Amino acid sequence: MHLDLSQCTNLRHIAFPGTKRYKDTPNMHSGHYFFPTWAAAFLSRVRTDSVRTIAFTINFQSNDELRDLACIEEIALPLSRPEFSQLTKIEFRIAGRFELQIRRFIKEELPELYARGIVSFV
């Protein structure tokens, strides 16, 4: 992935697959995956502090397993960078199975963001 998002000073909202919260946000579909494994790489390319909201959709189908949640751990590192200090909301839409387990896992893996009171579930 060769992206340089340093010039995107008007980038306010980022939505990962299936999220239709913001009409003007590009919707990035990941095919059969329940969560974009490349989300952490994408977020690490952001070089502006203009992002205010990020929305994720997590969709577990019958053949997915909870061990596949490792990619959520990977997004914690880029989101703790100074470029994301102005975030006001990180929204998780959980579809499919394991909703309670996924909520608990996100809370444990993103404690700094939880402490800021910006993580929400819809």
Side-chain angles (χ1 to χ4, degrees):
M1 179 181 341
H2 298 288
L3 297 173
D4 179 8
L5 300 177
S6 61
Q7 302 303 317
C8 297
T9 56
N10 287 326
L11 181 63
R12 300 279 186 258
H13 313 290
I14 298 173
F16 292 98
T19 308
K20 297 180 181 184
R21 175 116 166 104
Y22 303 101
K23 294 177 188 173
D24 58 342
T25 304
N27 213 353
M28 302 175 189
H29 295 279
S30 63
H32 67 281
Y33 297 106
F34 73 95
F35 188 86
T37 55
W38 48 266
F42 179 86
L43 292 171
S44 68
R45 303 284 197 280
V46 174
R47 301 278 184 256
T48 178
D49 65 355
S50 63
V51 178
R52 299 296 181 260
T53 60
I54 299 176
F56 297 97
T57 297
I58 301 172
N59 186 5
F60 268 94
Q61 299 303 323
S62 60
N63 59 343
D64 296 321
E65 296 181 27
L66 280 177
R67 63 181 166 79
D68 294 333
L69 286 175
C71 53
I72 295 174
E73 291 178 67
E74 295 173 11
I75 67 166
L77 188 57
L79 290 178
S80 64
R81 294 175 33 239
E83 286 84 353
F84 292 105
S85 62
Q86 300 301 313
L87 277 174
T88 59
K89 183 179 242 184
I90 299 172
E91 180 178 280
F92 288 93
R93 178 176 301 278
I94 302 170
R97 307 177 331 147
F98 306 119
E99 182 176 354
L100 293 177
Q101 295 93 327
I102 294 169
R103 283 180 181 232
R104 187 175 23 241
F105 183 82
I106 290 169
K107 186 175 182 179
E108 292 171 2
E109 293 304 319
L110 306 174
E112 300 86 13
L113 300 172
Y114 242 83
R116 286 173 49 192
I118 61 174
V119 176
S120 66
F121 298 96
V122 292

